[in-house]
Amino acid sequence: MDAVYAVLLGIVEGLTEFLPISSTGHLILAERAFGLDGRTAPWRVLLWVSQFGAILAVVLYFWRELWRRTFTPAQSGWSHHIVSKLLAAMIPTIGLALPLKRHFDPLENNAPAVAAALILGAAAIAYIDAKCRRQVPQELEDVTLRQAFLIGTIQCLSMWPGVSRSGASIMGGMVLGLTPRVSAEFSFYLAIPTMLGAAAYTLWKNRAELTAEVAAIVILGSAVAFVTALVVVAAFMAYVKRYRFTPFVIYRILLGLLVLLTYLWR
């Protein structure tokens, strides 16, 4: 059954990682629904390391543009380079998220806190989508170092389970003047160093528990997350070019209410 659970959790990770609905919150809820103890290996490790599989999907989907922007950028100068912008965005992530993360970890088991993040996040997404949506000619190269740094700062809100890393960074980019497409694209690029760092840190922290059995489950779940995320990334990039985020707002509210009602019932 552990292999089955790994596959199911990999599907949940791949479906939710790049949508503004909180993959961590969904994985926590899924673990509870399956009766798994998310505080123990392999599930604690899979919670974060499965993101590595999702990140490989981003690298594969954007590999041509990623290669071009890294080695033959359209604009010269270090301040215009995509690596410089990602480093600028990572400064607040390292400076704020790492020192404060342990204070937010207990909220993973706090259903009202997760429900509140889902519902309040839905309200924020609805407001930003209505007030800050721009449809002008814009490319990823137009993102400034200042915007990148501030998006990285806003991304730190996702330390609260249920907020959503992609939701925070995409909405933050739109508030700062980016179009939904460019904001989503930068969010996906930013996910590469952010989630690789989180996965590496989790592997190192839990290295004593990485038996062959645990490693097999983690690899299986991550592989499933990769395949699922590859489909989701392509579909989501096509979606944000044309439509609003209303379905995600409705889904977050319904899920938040369900989490809260389930908690109160129990």
Side-chain angles (χ1 to χ4, degrees):
M1 286 303 297
D2 283 353
V4 175
Y5 290 141
V7 170
L8 293 175
L9 291 174
I11 293 173
V12 172
E13 164 63 24
L15 286 174
T16 60
E17 181 59 52
F18 300 109
L19 302 181
I21 55 177
S22 178
S23 63
T24 302
H26 277 77
L27 285 172
I28 293 170
L29 294 173
E31 287 176 347
R32 290 182 178 179
F34 299 152
L36 305 175
D37 187 352
R39 297 168 296 181
T40 61
W43 314 117
R44 177 66 181 176
V45 181
L46 183 61
L47 177 67
W48 296 102
V49 179
S50 61
Q51 296 176 344
F52 178 75
I55 276 302
L56 290 181
V58 170
V59 174
L60 180 60
Y61 181 79
F62 288 107
W63 77 270
R64 288 187 179 86
E65 292 300 313
L66 187 60
W67 181 275
R68 179 183 64 79
R69 288 182 170 121
T70 302
F71 297 104
T72 56
Q75 302 179 41
S76 60
W78 68 270
S79 62
H80 298 293
H81 202 283
I82 185 61
V83 174
S84 299
K85 296 171 184 179
L86 293 178
L87 288 174
M90 286 299 295
I91 291 173
T93 300
I94 296 172
L96 292 175
L98 287 181
L100 296 176
K101 184 179 182 302
R102 61 187 179 90
H103 298 291
F104 288 88
D105 283 347
L107 294 177
E108 292 180 0
N109 297 308
N110 189 318
V114 175
L118 287 167
I119 295 172
L120 292 176
I125 291 172
Y127 179 82
I128 293 170
D129 195 24
K131 300 296 183 181
C132 303
R133 175 173 283 265
R134 303 180 69 207
Q135 296 294 350
V136 296
Q138 192 179 74
E139 297 297 332
L140 191 64
E141 284 77 10
D142 296 322
V143 178
T144 66
L145 286 175
R146 173 181 172 275
Q147 288 172 323
F149 177 84
L150 292 175
I151 290 172
T153 303
I154 296 169
Q155 178 181 245
C156 293
L157 293 173
S158 63
M159 288 188 294
W160 190 295
V163 169
S164 169
R165 187 210 64 82
S166 61
S169 54
I170 292 173
M171 294 302 119
M174 290 174 62
V175 169
L176 294 168
L178 302 182
T179 64
R181 180 186 65 81
V182 172
S183 189
E185 192 171 347
F186 186 79
S187 172
F188 289 170
Y189 274 53
L190 180 56
I192 297 174
T194 300
M195 291 160 56
L196 284 180
Y201 174 77
T202 301
L203 284 174
W204 175 256
K205 184 178 179 181
N206 296 275
R207 62 190 182 280
E209 299 176 328
L210 289 178
T211 63
E213 182 180 356
V214 170
I217 291 174
V218 170
I219 291 172
L220 175 60
S222 299
V224 173
F226 164 76
V227 176
T228 310
L230 188 59
V231 176
V232 171
V233 169
F236 186 65
M237 286 304 300
Y239 180 89
V240 297
K241 295 176 183 178
R242 301 176 59 187
Y243 305 107
R244 293 188 175 272
F245 293 92
T246 305
F248 304 109
V249 171
I250 296 172
Y251 177 79
R252 288 180 65 109
I253 293 174
L254 293 176
L255 180 61
L257 291 175
L258 178 61
V259 170
L260 190 58
L261 290 174
T262 302
Y263 171 79
L264 294 174
W265 180 263
R266 290 181 177 178

